[in-house]
Amino acid sequence: MKLTEEQLASFHNDGFVLLEDAFSGDEIDALCIALAEDQRVPGPCLITENDGVTPRSIYASHTRHPVFERLVRTERLLGPARQITGEDLYVHQMKINSKQAFGGERWAWHQDYIVWRDADNMPAASQVNVALFLDDVTEFNGPVIFLRGSHRLGTLERGASAQDHGTGHIDPDAYSLTPAELADLVKQHEMVSPKGARGGVLLFSSQIVHGSGTNVSPFARRLLILTYNPVSAAPRPVGAPRPEHLVGRDHTPLEVDRGPLDRT
Ligand code: HL5
Ligand code: SIN
Ligand code: MN
């Protein structure tokens, strides 16, 4: 799968591009079975909603399950990300945000790169995020909303509170834009929420402003987000690095895999 000139231009101008039908139903089934297994194991990789039990995010499933290991190397994701960056890539982070039916919570408005810059000393904002729809994404189940073209604004600096991160997962709440900033930004950058069937892929810049609402629908919205980083932009931690499930330490360039994900 190769991005057309038009798709590349969309990524550069809008900060995102949607690729429909990238994975088969059987492949998505295989990923969902592996996810259900992975979520059963409590530990630092599993982040819950405020009730302390409902899964909100799980990190680094590609280090525990072969189907996710194949996913991060698949040409269908790695190919477009390489085309966009023109560089050798490795996995900086992989997470699955399991926004549950009837109550999966919101994700505050934020940019990703500033978090990785502050927490991990990531030197450049050249990451490509690849979001894979594990469920149909509709207007009802809390789609990601982007401010179109906002990645071109660069890093929107936060106040001193932005330094208050711990050593674990950082919820975008800690880096959220203020209502006044948002109200101002939408004058130039329209809100858009790409939607589509399970198996679709949404590529987006680590500099684009994004967020998402609560899921009040009876349908889950499981979204896998894989962040590729150029080998040349690997973090240079000054103190103790954050754990490996949040900040990938294997900077070996990924080699493409051309097979289906659900092979045995
Ligand atoms: N939760 C991520 C981390 O690295 C940061 C957020 O959407 C990505 C901003 O801890
Ligand atoms: C994120 O920005 O990482 C979360 C977006 C979402 O899952 O809606
Ligand atoms: Mn984000």
Side-chain angles (χ1 to χ4, degrees):
M1 193 153 84
K2 210 165 178 276
L3 297 177
T4 63
E5 284 304 313
E6 205 176 37
Q7 288 170 323
L8 268 176
S10 296
F11 185 90
H12 291 300
N13 293 329
D14 297 336
F16 63 88
V17 65
L18 176 65
L19 313 175
E20 286 174 303
D21 301 322
F23 293 88
S24 73
D26 286 347
E27 289 178 308
I28 300 297
D29 285 346
L31 293 169
C32 290
I33 290 166
L35 169 63
E37 253 170 48
D38 203 27
Q39 278 179 338
R40 270 201 288 274
V41 188
C45 296
L46 189 63
I47 312 295
T48 64
E49 298 285 9
N50 289 333
D51 65 6
V53 288
T54 309
R56 174 165 168 81
S57 286
I58 189 159
Y59 281 91
S61 300
H62 66 298
T63 61
R64 294 180 296 272
H65 203 290
V67 74
F68 290 114
E69 214 270 323
R70 283 199 283 272
L71 179 76
V72 304
R73 293 171 189 278
T74 182
E75 192 183 24
R76 286 170 281 174
L77 302 183
L78 189 52
R82 273 188 180 174
Q83 235 184 308
I84 287 166
T85 58
E87 302 221 35
D88 281 334
L89 302 173
Y90 73 93
V91 177
H92 164 60
Q93 189 173 89
M94 197 198 100
K95 58 184 181 271
I96 300 165
N97 292 339
S98 284
K99 200 179 275 189
Q100 305 284 325
F102 299 116
E105 285 299 334
R106 66 168 200 148
W107 292 90
W109 291 107
H110 67 283
Q111 294 175 303
D112 291 340
Y113 172 66
I114 187 172
V115 180
W116 298 326
R117 184 196 67 181
D118 285 13
D120 309 318
N121 207 23
M122 178 99 85
S126 35
Q127 303 69 47
V128 174
N129 287 312
V130 172
L132 168 58
F133 299 170
L134 298 181
D135 292 300
D136 292 346
V137 176
T138 69
E139 66 266 50
F140 307 116
N141 63 357
V144 176
I145 308 171
F146 296 115
L147 299 194
R148 192 196 293 280
S150 57
H151 64 302
R152 288 189 261 110
L153 299 170
T155 304
L156 303 168
E157 295 298 334
R158 309 288 78 215
S161 66
Q163 305 302 324
D164 296 345
H165 49 73
T167 54
H169 148 86
I170 299 169
D171 193 281
D173 253 333
Y175 279 77
S176 68
L177 276 79
T178 65
E181 282 175 303
L182 244 294
D184 201 43
L185 285 171
V186 293
K187 292 176 191 158
Q188 305 292 331
H189 302 280
E190 68 166 333
M191 292 168 66
V192 46
S193 57
K195 294 171 278 283
R198 70 203 287 261
V201 166
L202 184 55
L203 301 165
F204 65 100
S205 158
S206 64
Q207 284 290 55
I208 197 167
V209 175
H210 60 288
S212 65
T214 310
N215 184 5
V216 293
S217 84
F219 311 108
R221 191 231 59 178
R222 289 165 297 179
L223 186 70
L224 183 154
I225 305 179
L226 170 59
T227 303
Y228 290 116
N229 194 30
V231 171
S232 62
R236 290 135 207 199
V238 270
R242 287 200 297 161
E244 194 162 6
H245 65 271
L246 297 170
V247 186
R249 288 187 202 152
D250 183 353
H251 304 157
T252 315
L254 290 165
E255 307 249 356
V256 296
D257 181 306
R258 294 195 167 77
L261 300 180
D262 54 334
R263 64 184 191 260
T264 42

